[in-house]
Amino acid sequence: MSSSTCLLKQDPLIQKVKRLLIRIGGVTGVRGLSRCFRIADDDGDHMVSKEEFARCLSDYGLNLTEGEVNKLMATFDLNRDGSIGATEFLTAFRLGLRPKRKAYISRVFSLFDQNNDGRLTLDEFKAGFDASGHSDYLSGRKTLDEVEREFFSSFDSETNPDGLLSKQEFQQHYACVSAAFDTDDAFIAMMLSVWRLDELLGGQPSGWRAGDRFTGLDSSLTCRNPASYTIEERELAVQDNTARSKAEGVVMKIRKLALEKLPAKCHGVSREFYMRDEQGYGYVSQATVADVVRAVRLHHFISEEEIELLCKDFDTRKNNTFDYYAFAHSLVGDITAVRTMLLERTWKKLPRRKNGKLPVELLISNYVPDLVPEVANGLVTKGQSLSNFLDAWDVAYFPSGLVSFDEFLLYYSGVSEEVVEDSHFRTMLMVSWKVWNKEAKVLVESLL
């Protein structure tokens, strides 16, 4: 994580704005403010002036002092030109998500986003929601109508006047919902249930059933005060936490090995799973895990016991399968919200197909390795760096010939490790992908 990002997370004013956003808009707080900025951004350059910025905050009910507004401007006005990037500002308020939860949110959206353009119509989206599988209904705390009304109010003509829902909005909604769940298992069980994933995914059904003790701690699937746990529940909690910690340690070990030993880094591990996923839903047999470890030549470093820990921890559907999609999200590591946003913006400027994916050939032809960290630090030549990049995106690993944003993000999770400051990461992306605009030209010219 960059030093600037760490400071942002600790800033008392940032924390104050976060609390106000949740108090004013609940799960739609950040989305509501985002739409205010979108209205103020008349020319579509994602930049707003100080006056527009103050007006947006005030219109949304964020009554900050002039000094607080000035401090926010000073923090986010990177070019010192009297304007700020609305996207960069809003990114600072995104709620964090554990990798498994993020994987399931992305999986649900992708299952409904048939043309892969990153947007859904509200009617299509609402039709997929099954309130009868919601924890509040199953526990008797709310009626079916109450659950549906609460969910649909988060996505209506007021919050989404264009009738469309973006992946970012869906993720932000569930980032807020996620806070109400003690464990990943609880959150995943809820997503499987309310979105009827067993039906959509096909194949072997999950081991979750309505009424199961999803968390092993609380059948209501909501947060509880640990002081209320029984002795048996506390013992189960300790066992679960110990097993999870060990599995997370194995994931970090594989990540470290991949970054050190594989030309394609973490992406090289993920693509081996992808090649073995016949149905394309992100699940493979548990036996496949050992095959992949051997294929990437890490079997001398990863023991059978460690593989068993991974298989148990990533059996997210409790049906003896391995969720490599959730595993890949875990491999990404702590890539910050700011850098994720920068990658999203870069991806949108590349010549993608209508389905949101990019042909491998175009990905390769648009790449320039000049500012890659290993080249900038003199560790390899441009030619060697380009060779490593070509190996990472070898067309043999992409039968469809197309690359998704998630694969692009996974690749850059490794690169991000070697770049300290967000500003350097941003400049590297601009140069590497020829994402030329007025700002990028100034940055590039200063480096030449």
Side-chain angles (χ1 to χ4, degrees):
M1 182 181 293
S2 71
S3 58
S4 58
T5 301
C6 289
L7 290 173
L8 271 182
K9 286 181 174 291
Q10 298 166 7
D11 191 299
L13 180 55
I14 298 295
Q15 296 306 315
K16 175 183 177 179
V17 176
K18 280 185 177 181
R19 290 194 299 272
L20 288 173
L21 282 172
I22 294 173
R23 185 183 305 167
I24 294 170
V27 297
T28 62
V30 177
R31 290 170 52 210
L33 183 59
S34 173
R35 292 188 179 279
C36 285
F37 279 120
R38 192 177 302 173
I39 293 171
D41 179 27
D42 294 331
D43 57 6
D45 65 353
H46 303 290
M47 306 297 290
V48 293
S49 67
K50 178 182 176 180
E51 292 72 23
E52 292 170 329
F53 178 62
R55 187 175 68 250
C56 285
L57 296 178
S58 178
D59 289 348
Y60 196 65
L62 293 172
N63 298 315
L64 304 178
T65 67
E66 183 177 355
E68 288 174 327
V69 172
N70 289 337
K71 183 178 178 182
L72 289 174
M73 281 295 301
T75 301
F76 292 96
D77 182 8
L78 302 179
N79 299 325
R80 300 293 181 261
D81 62 356
S83 63
I84 68 170
T87 305
E88 283 84 345
F89 174 74
L90 292 167
T91 296
F93 301 97
R94 285 185 179 179
L95 297 177
L97 277 167
R98 288 178 58 81
K100 289 180 186 175
R101 304 187 189 202
K102 191 172 183 179
Y104 265 86
I105 293 169
S106 180
R107 176 176 274 138
V108 168
F109 193 91
S110 297
L111 285 170
F112 287 94
D113 183 17
Q114 294 298 313
N115 62 356
N116 290 303
D117 67 351
R119 299 187 302 174
L120 296 174
T121 67
L122 292 184
D123 290 339
E124 288 176 331
F125 180 68
K126 290 179 179 179
F129 183 75
D130 182 6
S132 66
H134 198 281
S135 57
D136 282 340
Y137 173 71
L138 292 174
S139 66
R141 286 193 301 275
K142 295 179 181 178
T143 66
L144 206 61
D145 287 342
E146 287 173 332
V147 172
E148 288 182 342
R149 188 162 56 248
E150 182 179 280
F151 178 76
F152 293 160
S153 68
S154 298
F155 307 100
D156 56 23
S157 57
E158 183 176 341
T159 62
N160 299 72
D162 55 4
L164 297 173
L165 174 71
S166 71
K167 186 173 183 179
Q168 289 78 12
E169 289 174 316
F170 184 60
Q171 186 176 89
Q172 187 61 43
H173 170 81
Y174 270 111
C176 295
V177 172
S178 174
F181 292 86
D182 286 329
T183 66
D184 291 343
D185 279 353
F187 183 81
I188 291 170
M190 178 273 296
M191 295 295 282
L192 286 166
S193 186
V194 300
W195 294 105
R196 301 194 295 267
L197 291 188
D198 279 346
E199 178 184 326
L200 293 173
L201 292 171
Q204 185 179 355
S206 70
W208 295 122
R209 299 184 307 277
D212 276 351
R213 292 166 61 82
F214 292 130
T215 64
L217 297 175
D218 182 7
S219 59
S220 70
L221 302 182
T222 57
C223 288
R224 282 173 56 192
N225 184 341
S228 69
Y229 294 164
T230 65
I231 293 177
E232 179 184 5
E233 288 174 333
R234 291 182 185 184
E235 289 177 348
L236 283 172
V238 171
Q239 292 172 9
D240 288 345
N241 288 335
T242 300
R244 182 169 59 250
S245 295
K246 287 182 178 179
E248 288 174 352
V250 178
V251 172
M252 291 301 101
K253 181 178 179 179
I254 292 176
R255 175 179 171 78
K256 185 174 184 293
L257 288 168
L259 293 177
E260 291 176 352
K261 299 181 178 298
L262 305 182
K265 304 186 185 301
C266 296
H267 175 70
V269 179
S270 178
R271 71 185 183 186
E272 291 292 339
F273 281 110
Y274 175 77
M275 290 288 290
R276 291 163 170 77
D277 180 11
E278 297 179 357
Q279 292 184 313
Y281 292 133
Y283 303 93
V284 294
S285 69
Q286 293 188 348
T288 301
V289 181
D291 292 340
V292 168
V293 171
R294 281 192 294 271
V296 295
R297 300 181 180 179
L298 296 182
H299 54 292
H300 296 302
F301 309 96
I302 305 299
S303 68
E304 292 182 6
E305 180 183 359
E306 289 172 321
I307 290 175
E308 288 177 8
L309 282 170
L310 284 181
C311 288
K312 183 177 180 180
D313 192 59
F314 287 95
D315 183 11
T316 60
R317 294 176 70 193
K318 306 305 176 190
N319 61 356
N320 297 316
T321 57
F322 182 79
D323 186 347
Y324 79 83
Y325 193 55
F327 174 71
H329 274 74
S330 297
L331 278 182
V332 167
D334 190 23
I335 185 166
T336 68
V338 170
R339 296 190 183 194
T340 300
M341 177 276 299
L342 290 171
L343 287 167
E344 288 171 349
R345 181 175 291 181
T346 301
W347 183 255
K348 288 178 181 178
K349 289 181 178 291
L350 292 173
R352 295 164 295 130
R353 296 266 178 89
K354 287 184 178 180
N355 65 0
K357 295 189 176 183
L358 180 70
V360 179
E361 292 83 357
L362 285 178
L363 184 79
I364 293 172
S365 65
N366 276 273
Y367 180 70
V368 179
D370 295 51
L371 281 187
V372 174
E374 57 187 10
V375 174
N377 295 330
L379 299 177
V380 300
T381 65
K382 290 182 184 179
Q384 290 170 321
S385 178
L386 182 60
S387 177
N388 289 340
F389 181 82
L390 293 175
D391 180 72
W393 300 102
D394 190 327
V395 293
Y397 291 100
F398 299 91
S400 67
L402 300 173
V403 176
S404 69
F405 172 73
D406 283 341
E407 291 163 333
F408 188 68
L409 177 65
L410 181 62
Y411 173 80
Y412 268 102
S413 71
V415 177
S416 178
E417 291 268 322
E418 304 173 55
V419 184
V420 177
E421 294 297 332
D422 291 339
S423 59
H424 297 164
F425 188 78
R426 182 161 158 261
T427 304
M428 177 194 69
L429 289 178
M430 289 178 175
V431 176
S432 295
W433 296 105
K434 308 176 187 176
V435 183
W436 303 116
N437 56 26
K438 182 178 179 181
E439 180 184 5
K441 286 180 180 178
V442 173
L443 282 170
V444 173
E445 287 171 1
S446 70
L447 297 170
L448 299 178

